[in-house]
Amino acid sequence: MAEIAIIGAGMAGLSALHVLAAAGHQITLFDKSRGSGGRMATKKVGDASWDMGAQFMRAHSPEFAGQLQTWQQRGWIARWQAEPHEWRQGQLRPTGDNIERFVGMPRMTGLSRQLLSSAHPFIDSTRIISAANQADGWHLRSDDERDFGPFAGLIINTPPQQAAPLLASSPGLQQQCEQVDMLPCWTLLLTLPQRLNLPDMVFVKEGPLGFIARNNSKPGRDAGEAWVIQAGHDWSRQHADSPREQVQQQLLEAFTDLSGADLRVAANLWLHRWLYAIPAKALTLGALTDLQHNLAVCGDWCHSPSLEGAWLSGRRAATSLLTTLN
Ligand SMILES: Cc1cc2nc3c(=O)[nH]c(=O)nc-3n(C[C@H](O)[C@H](O)[C@H](O)COP(=O)(O)OP(=O)(O)OC[C@H]3O[C@@H](n4cnc5c(N)ncnc54)[C@H](O)[C@@H]3O)c2cc1C
């Protein structure tokens, strides 16, 4: 049994945790946030709550399809039955796809809570600022000057910009991180006193918006009318540094144009800027490894831009590490 550290409790880190734990290793998981899940986040404002990052999961690979089935049987996820629509040239139409979309229960972070394992410590609210490979293994330091280790192996599951500073001992991997461009996404959350006359899920193909969803149409959510309004990635990049009030106003105007709603009655407004929402182009390597140092790096940006990509990447990182640890 080896002691292994995982930095980042997103989908990739959690999937790596399961592979390593199943092989009998002892894991310590770190995250800078208060909870797990990373971009599979939930936001609460007053009594209202929304899935603020990833909206749903779907499978392209048989491995992830099998995993979704298992989670569904355990009640950790459920089908989101909304009929997808698209908004193009001022027209709203069903996309006609019959893709199975799943959501965490009773919110996206619900799945990440289930994937944490009580047998392995989760050290949250702890930002790791350096990782040093010494003769006895990996030593980690947090921004509040705590030291952790030694660990026989290390997995880093953070966006590439946050992984690069932790890769001082592997300059080759550091360079690969620096090549990955992550796209931003402005996201506006709000509640309304009445139901809007709009489909539950709309992929928007023009203007500032990219995707909108009625959060309360997902299974297990509160009944109140709650909307997630995501800007498109190109628009988000163009407005990445615009004043928040201006961004909010433009997103509200675009949503009004599309829905015809009177948004003066909107409440619980919350605007969030995801600086590293998804990779513009993922590396497709699965995971980055430096097995001489028992080190692997994972995340959607190493595989493909989705929760499925993150899950597959975490598995790849962990199975690679197992070849040198066993
Ligand atoms: C707005 C938005 C909408 C999306 N919609 C969808 C969707 O509908 N379907 C879909 O499949 N995907 C969607 N995605 C993409 C999906 O969320 C990601 O692909 C996936 O969550 C990435 O998981 P990850 O484990 O690679 O990284 P992350 O979830 O980013 O996890 C990385 C973790 O590392 C932690 N961390 C970072 N630096 C440090 C540090 N120094 N020390 C300690 N911890 C650290 C972070 O706090 C975070 O928890 C969306 C993403 C966004 C932002």
Side-chain angles (χ1 to χ4, degrees), residues 11-300:
M11 178 60 99
L14 292 166
S15 107
L17 166 73
H18 277 252
V19 173
L20 295 170
H25 297 295
Q26 181 60 41
I27 326 298
T28 306
L29 188 59
F30 297 88
D31 204 290
K32 67 180 173 57
S33 300
R34 211 154 28 92
S36 57
R39 279 172 274 160
M40 199 170 29
T42 301
K43 179 71 193 171
K44 231 175 142 14
V45 178
D47 289 341
S49 71
W50 306 257
D51 295 326
M52 185 167 71
Q55 294 297 304
F56 58 82
M57 284 165 274
R58 55 174 290 196
H60 298 83
S61 64
E63 294 94 327
F64 196 55
Q67 182 63 83
L68 290 178
Q69 211 175 18
T70 307
W71 290 341
Q72 187 183 16
Q73 281 158 4
R74 292 182 186 163
W76 298 358
I77 62 170
R79 274 282 302 275
W80 183 20
Q81 303 280 4
E83 188 186 10
H85 281 66
E86 68 171 30
W87 174 265
R88 197 190 284 271
Q89 295 170 338
Q91 299 274 340
L92 202 53
R93 298 188 191 85
T95 63
D97 76 53
N98 56 1
I99 294 163
E100 291 197 332
R101 295 179 171 86
F102 294 88
V103 295
M105 289 292 284
R107 53 191 75 90
M108 289 304 272
T109 40
L111 174 62
S112 72
R113 301 294 183 268
Q114 297 287 3
L115 294 174
L116 284 175
S117 161
S118 55
H120 300 274
F122 174 41
I123 304 182
D124 66 349
S125 308
T126 300
R127 180 190 292 270
I128 302 299
I129 53 164
S130 74
N133 189 252
Q134 297 174 6
D136 59 351
W138 284 98
H139 290 256
L140 308 181
R141 171 157 270 230
S142 61
D143 61 354
D144 55 359
E145 300 191 346
R146 281 181 293 154
D147 292 310
F148 303 91
F151 298 100
L154 174 64
I155 292 194
I156 299 177
N157 160 224
T158 70
Q161 290 74 7
Q162 291 160 338
L166 302 175
L167 288 167
S169 49
S170 302
L173 300 195
Q174 209 168 31
Q175 273 176 9
Q176 282 175 291
C177 289
E178 283 157 5
Q179 285 164 16
V180 181
D181 179 24
M182 295 292 283
L183 299 170
C185 178
W186 279 106
T187 300
L188 179 63
L189 310 171
L190 54 83
T191 60
L192 291 164
Q194 277 173 348
R195 190 178 161 85
L196 278 188
N197 184 22
L198 265 186
D200 296 332
M201 176 196 314
V202 183
F203 296 89
V204 187
K205 305 290 183 186
E206 61 194 15
L209 303 182
F211 178 79
I212 58 172
R214 175 181 280 116
N215 199 73
N216 46 308
S217 68
K218 297 178 176 179
R221 272 59 177 176
D222 297 334
E225 184 78 352
W227 281 86
V228 176
I229 300 163
Q230 291 174 349
H233 295 295
D234 290 344
W235 191 91
S236 295
R237 170 149 288 173
Q238 283 157 19
H239 295 81
D241 297 316
S242 299
R244 296 177 65 83
E245 306 72 43
Q246 191 185 319
V247 169
Q248 179 160 315
Q249 190 53 35
Q250 291 192 36
L251 294 182
L252 281 173
E253 280 168 16
F255 190 59
T256 305
D257 287 348
L258 197 153
S259 63
D262 176 4
L263 293 180
R264 285 172 301 182
V265 294
N268 298 313
L269 271 77
W270 185 266
L271 181 71
H272 182 78
R273 185 186 66 170
W274 290 100
L275 198 49
Y276 308 127
I278 55 160
K281 194 166 179 293
L283 290 175
T284 71
L285 295 164
L288 304 179
T289 54
D290 174 354
L291 295 180
Q292 258 190 335
H293 293 114
N294 286 339
L295 169 68
V297 184
C298 58
D300 59 347

